[in-house]
């Protein structure tokens, strides 16, 4: 009999076992054993048998994860053993105190072994198994009793419906955290935004919202994960003598456990673990808000017991909070280089994500509408890793009486020119161009910046003074400053020496490169990489300036929008005059050696550069890599081919290792340059 047409009960049981094995490998071990298509085919075969024999359906059949709504909502259930909370340690010192306290209480001099675990940022859950089968899943609630959310819990694939053992304990209560991985959270929010629905503030709230659904079908569609972190209660089984061993057993029985948990010796080991995990935090695929340290020996845990609502044998060390609440004092409007008018929230300063934040961009009109933010509102600010601070939520309940809606300016707040909003775009722009002081200042700052014309000594403050005093009205005027010595000497903090240095670096900057010059012009959407692609493609400035949009889109990474921006830029008389003026003033560059981008040795490869290098700056390495044809990106992803990691590489290195991306050090990159003659 062929497998497909075998409708026997034995075959059904075998299919269930096989599918549960696949699922365990995929969801718990992160190590799939068959392609998705095989799983799907066998799943359909099981569905067919169950449809023909509904009376055969087993509780641990994978088809039984999504059931019906509970009739009377979520019932309240008292926990067999209370679900405790944890005391907090905020620094190394309080961690040392914790270790000392434990030794004193135990009357021991020996080093204590701790189990260190990431503190997962989700919701605590207690799962009860009787004779190996899941009977109930209950939320933490107030620690003494919680809500019975079994129907929702069953939809989570990392929750085993049956323990993977032939001799399970009579009763087992497993405690753990339910959370939503970052990627799933972002996808869920993207979908919600597309459908005009409310988005979640963070993965924790999304996990909570998903578990609170009365309809398990909704929960089933949410990417939730359950990770076990302790045994709460057990009957009919001899627990291992260590917490760590207990977790390994849970993993064998079918629960996901955290692969970063580790046994360490003493407070010192705990502090080293903190260092290690702090560096990994950003690169993890899920949010953590700290570390939980637990005395590993169960007998010692029992000896220590608990006080009030927290065990004496465990402590949480929190990471700096990534979210905080503060008040919007004012909303200002900044005009950028391309005229984009950006609302910026001026905040009551707040310490978040390790720094004090007093401003946060509100991006544009749409974002203000999405958040519903008003001046004087209390808001949640999030700063994670190096990401710029974001306003993620308005706390509407706390809206003060003097709150006022945001009024978007009808004219440019700097030059008074009309503003425009292109249909389909969220950005409102000033139409003033270089007549607008703000656009002129920002364009000049960009023009002289390190990756553009690289004029040393021409800082933001000086540019602002030069524009305010009408000494510089276009980039060309910078190259005429040698005629304005007296005016320069009259400026703040400008002595003979600094004026000499400035004029010398302006002179030196005239010798540039085609790609730097193009980037310096500040054409919309033309960043460093696009400028390089364009100058690799076009032999000289004249042919680039003459190119139509059809030709421009032939350049790698140049789409119709960028092509349009480039074309319009070169069409404008004012821009052509500026370019002619710059060339007249003596700006020159050497013709490029290799014009054939395809022939470059690192063509098609994506590199990321991080950490501190001793022989080169990071920008020099990037320049060299790009000159060999590589793309240089700012962040590590699965698409990265190689990470160049200097000293103190931090989270990018951790992420590259997690993603199995090749990593080379400074010596490696020097060897690469030598190999391709780029030194
Ligand atoms: S152990 C008695 N381990 O942190 C032991 N808790 O206040 C109590 N949490 O909401 C918990 N990750 O859900 C423990 N690896 C971990 C944890 C963890 C996250 C949560 C827990 C509770 C809070 C403790």
């Amino acid at each position: 009999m062929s497998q497909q047409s075998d409708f026997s009960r034995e075959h059904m049981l075998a299919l269930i076992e096989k599918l549960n094995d696949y699922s365990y490998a995929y969801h718990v071990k992160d190590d799939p054993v068959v392609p998705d298509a095989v799983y799907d085919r066998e799943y359909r075969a099981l569905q067919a048998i169950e449809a023909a024999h509904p009376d055969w359906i087993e509780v641990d059949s994978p088809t039984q994860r999504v059931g019906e709504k509970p009739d009377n909502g979520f019932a309240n259930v008292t926990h067999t053993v209370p679900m405790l909370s944890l005391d907090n340690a905020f620094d190394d010192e309080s961690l040392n105190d914790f270790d000392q306290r434990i030794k004193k209480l135990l009357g021991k001099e020996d080093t204590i072994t701790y189990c260190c675990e990431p503190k997962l940022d989700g919701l605590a859950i207690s799962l009860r198994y009787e004779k190996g089968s899941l009977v109930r899943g209950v939320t933490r609630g107030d620690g003494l009793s919680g809500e019975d959310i079994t129907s929702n819990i069953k939809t989570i694939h990392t929750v085993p419906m049956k323990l993977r053992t032939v001799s399970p304990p009579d009763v087992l209560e497993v405690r753990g955290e339910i959370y939503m991985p970052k990627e799933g959270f972002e996808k869920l929010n993207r979908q919600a935004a597309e459908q005009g629905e409310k988005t979640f503030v963070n993965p924790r709230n999304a996990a909570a919202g998903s578990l609170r659904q009365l309809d398990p079908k909704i929960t089933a569609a949410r990417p939730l994960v359950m990770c076990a972190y302790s045994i709460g209660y057990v009957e009919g089984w001899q627990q291992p003598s260590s917490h760590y061993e207990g977790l390994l057993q849970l993993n064998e029985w079918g629960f996901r456990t955290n692969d970063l948990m580790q046994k360490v010796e003493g407070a010192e080991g705990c502090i080293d673990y903190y260092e290690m995990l702090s560096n990994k935090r950003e690169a993890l695929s899920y949010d953590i808000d700290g570390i939980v340290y637990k005395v590993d020996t169960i007998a010692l845990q029992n000896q220590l017991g608990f006080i009030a609502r927290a065990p004496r044998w465990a402590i949480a060390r929190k990471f700096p909070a990534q979210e905080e609440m503060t008040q919007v004092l004012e909303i200002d409007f900044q005009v950028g280089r391309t005229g984009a008018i950006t609302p910026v929230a001026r905040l009551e300063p707040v310490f978040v994500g390790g720094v004090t934040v007093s401003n946060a961009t509100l991006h544009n009109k749409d974002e203000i509408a999405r958040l519903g933010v008003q001046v004087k509102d209390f808001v949640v600010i999030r700063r994670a890793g190096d990401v710029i601070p974001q306003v993620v939520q308005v706390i509407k309940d706390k809206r003060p009486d003097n709150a006022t809606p945001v009024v978007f300016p009808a004219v440019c707040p700097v030059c008074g020119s009309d503003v425009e909003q292109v249909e389909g775009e969220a950005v409102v722009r000033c139409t003033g161009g270089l007549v607008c002081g703000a656009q002129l200042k920002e364009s000049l700052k960009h023009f002289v910046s390190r990756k553009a014309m690289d004029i040393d000594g021409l800082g933001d403050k000086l540019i602002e003074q030069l524009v305010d005093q009408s000494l510089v009205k276009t980039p060309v005027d910078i190259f005429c400053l040698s005629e304005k010595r007296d005016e320069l000497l009259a400026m703040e903090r400008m002595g003979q020496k600094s004026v000499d240095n400035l004029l010398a670096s302006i002179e030196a900057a005239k010798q540039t490169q085609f790609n730097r010059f193009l980037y310096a012009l500040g054409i919309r959407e033309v960043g460093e990489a696009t400028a390089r692609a364009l100058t690799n493609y076009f032999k000289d400035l004249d042919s680039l300036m003459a190119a139509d949009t059809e030709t421009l889109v032939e350049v790698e990474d140049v789409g119709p929008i960028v092509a349009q921006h480039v074309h319009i830029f070169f069409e404008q008389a004012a821009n052509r005059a500026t370019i002619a003026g710059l060339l007249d003033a003596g700006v020159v560059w050497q013709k490029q050696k290799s014009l054939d981008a395809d022939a470059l040795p690192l063509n098609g490869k994506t590199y990321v550069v991080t950490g501190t290098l001793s022989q080169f700056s990071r920008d020099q390495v990037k320049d060299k890599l790009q000159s060999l044809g590589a793309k240089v990106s700012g962040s590590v992803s699965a698409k990265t081919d190689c990470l160049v990691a200097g000293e103190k590489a931090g989270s990018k290195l951790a992420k590259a290792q997690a993603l199995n991306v090749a990593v080379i050090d400074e010596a490696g990159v020097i060897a690469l340059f030598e190999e391709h003659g780029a030194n």
Side-chain angles (χ1 to χ4, degrees), residues 240-260:
S241 59
S242 107
H243 167 78
Y244 186 82
E245 304 293 317
L247 291 184
L248 294 184
Q249 179 64 74
L250 290 185
N251 189 232
E252 264 175 47
W253 282 344
F255 296 92
R256 179 186 278 240
T257 49
N258 191 283
D259 52 2
L260 294 172

Short mmCIF file of all heavy atoms in Angstrom, two decimals, residues 240-260:
data_model
loop_
_atom_site.label_atom_id
_atom_site.label_comp_id
_atom_site.label_asym_id
_atom_site.label_seq_id
_atom_site.Cartn_x
_atom_site.Cartn_y
_atom_site.Cartn_z
N PRO A 240 16.71 16.82 38.95
CA PRO A 240 18.17 16.85 39.02
C PRO A 240 18.62 17.80 40.14
O PRO A 240 17.83 18.64 40.58
CB PRO A 240 18.60 17.42 37.67
CG PRO A 240 17.40 17.38 36.80
CD PRO A 240 16.21 17.36 37.68
N SER A 241 19.87 17.66 40.57
CA SER A 241 20.31 18.47 41.71
C SER A 241 20.68 19.89 41.31
O SER A 241 20.91 20.73 42.15
CB SER A 241 21.50 17.79 42.38
OG SER A 241 22.53 17.67 41.42
N SER A 242 20.77 20.15 40.00
CA SER A 242 21.09 21.52 39.59
C SER A 242 20.02 22.09 38.66
O SER A 242 19.42 21.36 37.87
CB SER A 242 22.48 21.56 38.94
OG SER A 242 22.40 21.72 37.54
N HIS A 243 19.82 23.40 38.78
CA HIS A 243 18.84 24.11 37.95
C HIS A 243 19.17 23.92 36.47
O HIS A 243 18.30 23.64 35.64
CB HIS A 243 18.87 25.59 38.34
CG HIS A 243 18.17 26.51 37.39
ND1 HIS A 243 16.81 26.64 37.36
CD2 HIS A 243 18.66 27.32 36.42
CE1 HIS A 243 16.48 27.52 36.42
NE2 HIS A 243 17.58 27.94 35.84
N TYR A 244 20.46 24.06 36.15
CA TYR A 244 20.93 23.94 34.77
C TYR A 244 20.57 22.57 34.18
O TYR A 244 20.05 22.49 33.07
CB TYR A 244 22.44 24.17 34.76
CG TYR A 244 23.07 24.23 33.39
CD1 TYR A 244 23.04 25.40 32.66
CD2 TYR A 244 23.70 23.11 32.84
CE1 TYR A 244 23.62 25.46 31.40
CE2 TYR A 244 24.27 23.16 31.59
CZ TYR A 244 24.25 24.34 30.88
OH TYR A 244 24.81 24.40 29.64
N GLU A 245 20.84 21.52 34.97
CA GLU A 245 20.50 20.17 34.50
C GLU A 245 18.99 20.06 34.27
O GLU A 245 18.54 19.40 33.33
CB GLU A 245 20.87 19.10 35.55
CG GLU A 245 22.32 19.10 36.00
CD GLU A 245 23.25 18.69 34.89
OE1 GLU A 245 22.92 17.74 34.18
OE2 GLU A 245 24.30 19.35 34.73
N GLY A 246 18.22 20.68 35.14
CA GLY A 246 16.76 20.66 35.01
C GLY A 246 16.34 21.26 33.67
O GLY A 246 15.46 20.72 32.97
N LEU A 247 16.99 22.38 33.29
CA LEU A 247 16.63 23.01 32.03
C LEU A 247 17.02 22.12 30.84
O LEU A 247 16.29 22.04 29.85
CB LEU A 247 17.30 24.39 31.91
CG LEU A 247 16.79 25.47 32.87
CD1 LEU A 247 17.44 26.81 32.59
CD2 LEU A 247 15.27 25.62 32.78
N LEU A 248 18.17 21.43 30.97
CA LEU A 248 18.57 20.52 29.88
C LEU A 248 17.53 19.42 29.72
O LEU A 248 17.18 19.02 28.61
CB LEU A 248 19.94 19.91 30.16
CG LEU A 248 21.13 20.87 30.16
CD1 LEU A 248 22.43 20.10 30.35
CD2 LEU A 248 21.18 21.69 28.88
N GLN A 249 17.00 18.94 30.87
CA GLN A 249 15.97 17.91 30.82
C GLN A 249 14.71 18.46 30.12
O GLN A 249 14.11 17.78 29.28
CB GLN A 249 15.64 17.44 32.24
CG GLN A 249 14.56 16.39 32.29
CD GLN A 249 14.96 15.09 31.61
OE1 GLN A 249 15.76 14.33 32.12
NE2 GLN A 249 14.42 14.86 30.41
N LEU A 250 14.34 19.69 30.49
CA LEU A 250 13.15 20.29 29.85
C LEU A 250 13.35 20.37 28.34
O LEU A 250 12.43 20.12 27.56
CB LEU A 250 12.88 21.69 30.42
CG LEU A 250 12.39 21.77 31.86
CD1 LEU A 250 12.07 23.21 32.23
CD2 LEU A 250 11.14 20.91 32.07
N ASN A 251 14.55 20.72 27.93
CA ASN A 251 14.84 20.82 26.50
C ASN A 251 14.63 19.46 25.83
O ASN A 251 14.03 19.36 24.75
CB ASN A 251 16.27 21.32 26.32
CG ASN A 251 16.59 21.67 24.88
OD1 ASN A 251 17.57 21.22 24.33
ND2 ASN A 251 15.75 22.48 24.27
N GLU A 252 15.09 18.41 26.50
CA GLU A 252 14.90 17.07 25.93
C GLU A 252 13.43 16.68 25.87
O GLU A 252 13.00 15.98 24.96
CB GLU A 252 15.65 16.03 26.76
CG GLU A 252 17.00 15.75 26.18
CD GLU A 252 17.79 14.82 27.06
OE1 GLU A 252 17.24 13.80 27.51
OE2 GLU A 252 18.96 15.15 27.31
N TRP A 253 12.68 17.15 26.85
CA TRP A 253 11.25 16.83 26.84
C TRP A 253 10.45 17.64 25.83
O TRP A 253 9.25 17.47 25.70
CB TRP A 253 10.67 17.07 28.25
CG TRP A 253 11.00 15.95 29.20
CD1 TRP A 253 11.45 14.71 28.88
CD2 TRP A 253 10.89 16.00 30.63
NE1 TRP A 253 11.63 13.98 30.02
CE2 TRP A 253 11.30 14.73 31.11
CE3 TRP A 253 10.50 16.97 31.54
CZ2 TRP A 253 11.31 14.42 32.45
CZ3 TRP A 253 10.52 16.66 32.88
CH2 TRP A 253 10.93 15.39 33.34
N GLY A 254 11.11 18.56 25.15
CA GLY A 254 10.41 19.25 24.07
C GLY A 254 10.28 20.75 24.23
O GLY A 254 9.67 21.40 23.38
N PHE A 255 10.85 21.32 25.29
CA PHE A 255 10.73 22.76 25.48
C PHE A 255 11.94 23.47 24.89
O PHE A 255 13.05 22.96 24.97
CB PHE A 255 10.67 23.12 26.98
CG PHE A 255 9.45 22.59 27.63
CD1 PHE A 255 9.46 21.35 28.25
CD2 PHE A 255 8.27 23.32 27.61
CE1 PHE A 255 8.33 20.84 28.84
CE2 PHE A 255 7.12 22.82 28.21
CZ PHE A 255 7.15 21.57 28.83
N ARG A 256 11.68 24.66 24.37
CA ARG A 256 12.80 25.50 23.98
C ARG A 256 13.42 26.06 25.25
O ARG A 256 12.71 26.46 26.17
CB ARG A 256 12.33 26.65 23.09
CG ARG A 256 13.49 27.55 22.68
CD ARG A 256 12.96 28.73 21.94
NE ARG A 256 12.74 28.36 20.57
CZ ARG A 256 13.35 28.97 19.54
NH1 ARG A 256 14.19 29.94 19.75
NH2 ARG A 256 13.11 28.60 18.32
N THR A 257 14.75 26.05 25.32
CA THR A 257 15.45 26.73 26.42
C THR A 257 16.40 27.71 25.75
O THR A 257 16.67 27.58 24.55
CB THR A 257 16.23 25.75 27.28
OG1 THR A 257 17.00 24.91 26.42
CG2 THR A 257 15.31 24.91 28.16
N ASN A 258 16.90 28.66 26.50
CA ASN A 258 17.73 29.69 25.87
C ASN A 258 19.16 29.19 25.68
O ASN A 258 19.79 28.71 26.61
CB ASN A 258 17.71 30.96 26.71
CG ASN A 258 18.33 32.10 25.95
OD1 ASN A 258 19.53 32.17 25.83
ND2 ASN A 258 17.51 32.95 25.39
N ASP A 259 19.66 29.33 24.43
CA ASP A 259 20.99 28.76 24.15
C ASP A 259 22.13 29.62 24.71
O ASP A 259 23.29 29.25 24.60
CB ASP A 259 21.17 28.50 22.65
CG ASP A 259 20.86 29.71 21.81
OD1 ASP A 259 20.56 30.76 22.41
OD2 ASP A 259 20.93 29.62 20.57
N LEU A 260 21.80 30.75 25.30
CA LEU A 260 22.87 31.58 25.89
C LEU A 260 23.01 31.36 27.39
O LEU A 260 23.83 32.00 28.04
CB LEU A 260 22.61 33.06 25.60
CG LEU A 260 22.69 33.44 24.12
CD1 LEU A 260 22.22 34.87 23.91
CD2 LEU A 260 24.10 33.27 23.59
#
